[in-house]
Amino acid sequence: MPSTSRLRRRPPLVAALVALPLLALAAPATAASDTKVVPPPPMGHFSHPTRIDNPYFPLVPGTEYFYKGTITEAGTVTPHTVTFTVTDLTKVIDGVTTRVVLDVDNTGGEVVEAELAFFAQDDNGTVWNMGEYPEEFDNGTFTGAPDTWITGLSGAQGGIHMLAHPHVGDTYTEGLVRSIGFYDVTTVFATGQRVCVPVSCYTNVLVTHETSPLDPTSGTQVKYYAPGVGLVKVGAIGGDSQERLVLSSLRHLGSSALQAVDQQVRMMDRRGHRASNVYARTAPVQ
């Protein structure tokens, strides 16, 4: 959840809520030019792609996740929140009907990014990243969406967001979009953990380490997924921008609130067709 980005690879942890030690990667940073890029595997079959019930990443329409924390850059700590809402809307991408998620980042009291993220679950239960339309804002003004990518367009390849049956040591590519330097790699670091956040305490938590090999200075993002809930905590090891988030509220929206979200998504979708040459080649949300 937060995406999409994922939380995406935006900018360690709200320490001490978990007994799990955070171990730094043993391998030294590799120059981007020397990085071996491993493309995502071929996608599977999608008979019911919007029925996303993967235990560690369930996307139930109308569910709103609210994350609260900070971003630390150059020693400066700034309040940061993310609101991740699963809509009842869909969008066809590369022949697959995907679930649309609205992901809004607020930093220092201002919306800095609002993103439409698209997910689909294959017949084996693996959830795939199918694309992102991230709008950027400066002092409340829309400035563009340069990091838009859509599977199957302009060489973009979607990847795995959550495995159907994750095991410690499993490593997978979340996506590969060379035009914007997007290449995220995730490794399952631990299972069976216990984590407490403001919403609740959870057991059998899955922990992943996410890196961006083309950008070694970004460090390692650590994510905690609770079964039946999804992402409950985000932290980092190293990196020049560190994001700390915990799940602070979890609710299911009523019909009027969900309609308001749908209206915002449709507005963004229309703007995306004007703002991005890539996004303009997609079908409207439904």
Side-chain angles (χ1 to χ4, degrees), residues 27-82:
T30 303
S33 60
D34 298 330
T35 300
K36 179 181 179 181
V37 175
V38 179
M43 291 187 181
H45 296 285
F46 296 90
S47 299
H48 304 283
T50 60
R51 189 174 64 197
I52 302 177
D53 55 6
N54 182 299
Y56 290 109
F57 197 67
L59 294 182
V60 178
T63 307
E64 179 192 87
Y65 301 79
F66 179 72
Y67 301 87
K68 188 175 182 179
T70 60
I71 286 183
T72 303
E73 294 181 294
T76 300
V77 180
T78 305
H80 178 54
T81 65
V82 174

Side-chain angles (χ1 to χ4, degrees), residues 203-255:
T203 57
N204 294 318
V205 171
L206 171 74
V207 184
T208 65
H209 281 188
E210 185 177 306
T211 61
S212 183
L214 298 180
D215 182 15
T217 63
S218 63
T220 300
Q221 193 170 56
V222 184
K223 295 180 179 179
Y224 298 78
Y225 296 90
V229 179
L231 186 67
V232 297
K233 185 176 177 180
V234 177
I237 301 169
D240 52 9
S241 179
Q242 298 180 333
E243 183 178 50
R244 297 168 170 84
L245 290 170
V246 290
L247 182 63
S248 297
S249 173
L250 177 61
R251 63 175 183 149
H252 194 83
L253 301 179
S255 58

